[in-house]
Amino acid sequence: MDNFWITDKPIQVNDCIRKVTHPKAGAISTFIGIAREFTKGKQTLFLEYDAYVPMATKQLARIGMEIKQTCPEAEIAIAHRIGRLEISEVAVAIAVSTPHRDAAFKASRYAIERIKEIVPIWKKEHWVDGTKWIGNQKETTSYENKIPTKEEMH
Amino acid sequence: MIDLLFFAQLQEKVGSPKITIEANDISIKEIKEKFLAKYKMDHLLNEAMIAVNEEYSKEDAVVFSGDVVAFIPPVSGG
């Protein structure tokens, strides 16, 4: 699972890109999630991420498998940061290579949406006047059966 | 012995990332009733997903000594 990792060190996006670069690839799509200062007008000082590291690593690899089911030629690498992040630091980096661009765009989008559903990582906002662990950001999932399924992807 | 893992707001409520309980052949639902009611965090537990040995599982799953049960609040990675 070398292509999927959780780290408390700054993420180098090029590490993800390098892992998916190979001769049969014709496109690499990257997605980079960074720490945002303002959410709905409220100022964030810094973010803190926690993870259930061994399971989160497995779930990132599962996302890679799901993408390969749709696009067997795809190569995927995902890195997610934990610990304290300053504004504009990279929280997550995704790179997907495919023979042609359309599949790469779709897969990187799929990966970030899926991270927000099934990967046990949590973000805590630190504001001037307090802190809060942020819950389900998609606000589309009831988690009624307590197991996120692939069908939840829209 | 079964290890119970807590994360994010659940961890803050429990005051620890891990609790070890003396139990065997017990459902997650029973664990919640017998061991977690005292923390007064039913709302948080009800919205949490459950993982047994690092795989998502359901509340009626039965676990045994040596298993690791994680309570996973709604995730917010990315």
Side-chain angles (χ1 to χ4, degrees):
Chain A
M1 295 201 288
D2 290 351
N3 281 26
F4 305 93
W5 71 100
I6 308 289
T7 177
D8 59 0
K9 306 283 187 315
I11 290 171
Q12 305 300 325
V13 180
N14 276 335
D15 290 347
C16 290
I17 295 172
R18 201 175 304 116
K19 284 173 186 287
V20 301
T21 303
H22 62 97
K24 288 183 181 170
I28 296 175
S29 176
T30 56
F31 175 85
I32 302 163
I34 65 173
R36 179 179 51 234
E37 183 173 15
F38 286 94
T39 300
K40 293 178 182 165
K42 200 162 168 95
Q43 186 176 16
T44 298
L45 299 177
F46 64 93
L47 296 180
E48 181 187 345
Y49 282 92
D50 188 19
Y52 182 12
V53 174
M55 183 169 170
T57 308
K58 279 191 201 173
Q59 294 298 111
L60 291 177
R62 171 178 163 181
I63 293 170
M65 299 259 291
E66 289 176 359
I67 290 169
K68 276 175 176 282
Q69 282 169 8
T70 314
C71 181
E73 304 95 339
E75 291 296 332
I76 305 101
I78 307 175
H80 203 296
R81 176 98 176 262
I82 54 173
R84 176 178 168 144
L85 271 77
E86 307 303 326
I87 301 305
S88 297
E89 281 199 291
V90 176
V92 61
I94 299 166
V96 184
S97 70
T98 54
H100 302 282
R101 66 185 181 281
D102 191 39
F105 279 125
K106 281 184 180 151
S108 61
R109 174 72 191 252
Y110 178 84
I112 185 61
E113 300 297 337
R114 202 76 173 115
I115 284 170
K116 291 176 181 292
E117 290 177 338
I118 66 166
V119 182
I121 297 176
W122 300 271
K123 173 168 70 179
K124 190 178 198 178
E125 296 261 8
H126 287 257
W127 301 300
V128 176
D129 58 349
T131 66
K132 185 174 190 264
W133 286 103
I134 306 301
N136 171 19
Q137 294 172 298
K138 296 189 62 118
E139 295 174 355
T140 54
T141 314
S142 67
Y143 291 104
E144 214 165 75
N145 63 2
K146 301 291 190 290
I147 301 178
T149 62
K150 198 173 178 182
E151 287 67 43
E152 284 171 357
M153 268 303 294
H154 301 293
Chain B
M1 302 223 291
I2 295 169
D3 284 341
L4 309 181
L5 306 184
F6 302 95
F7 297 93
Q9 56 270 51
L10 278 172
Q11 187 176 106
E12 288 177 356
K13 197 82 180 172
V14 172
S16 171
K18 184 169 106 173
I19 296 176
T20 301
I21 58 170
E22 285 289 346
N24 183 42
D25 196 1
I26 185 172
S27 74
I28 311 289
K29 197 168 182 295
E30 288 174 292
I31 289 178
K32 284 186 183 178
E33 290 163 2
K34 286 187 183 170
F35 296 93
L36 303 178
K38 65 180 173 189
Y39 295 102
K40 312 269 184 225
M41 56 181 189
D42 286 0
H43 172 70
L44 292 176
L45 281 174
N46 286 338
E47 66 176 16
M49 295 185 283
I50 290 155
V52 176
N53 301 330
E54 299 176 7
E55 297 290 343
Y56 283 111
S57 184
K58 289 194 174 182
E59 195 178 61
D60 56 6
V62 174
V63 293
F64 298 89
S65 187
D67 284 340
V68 177
V69 178
F71 295 92
I72 298 181
V75 302
S76 51

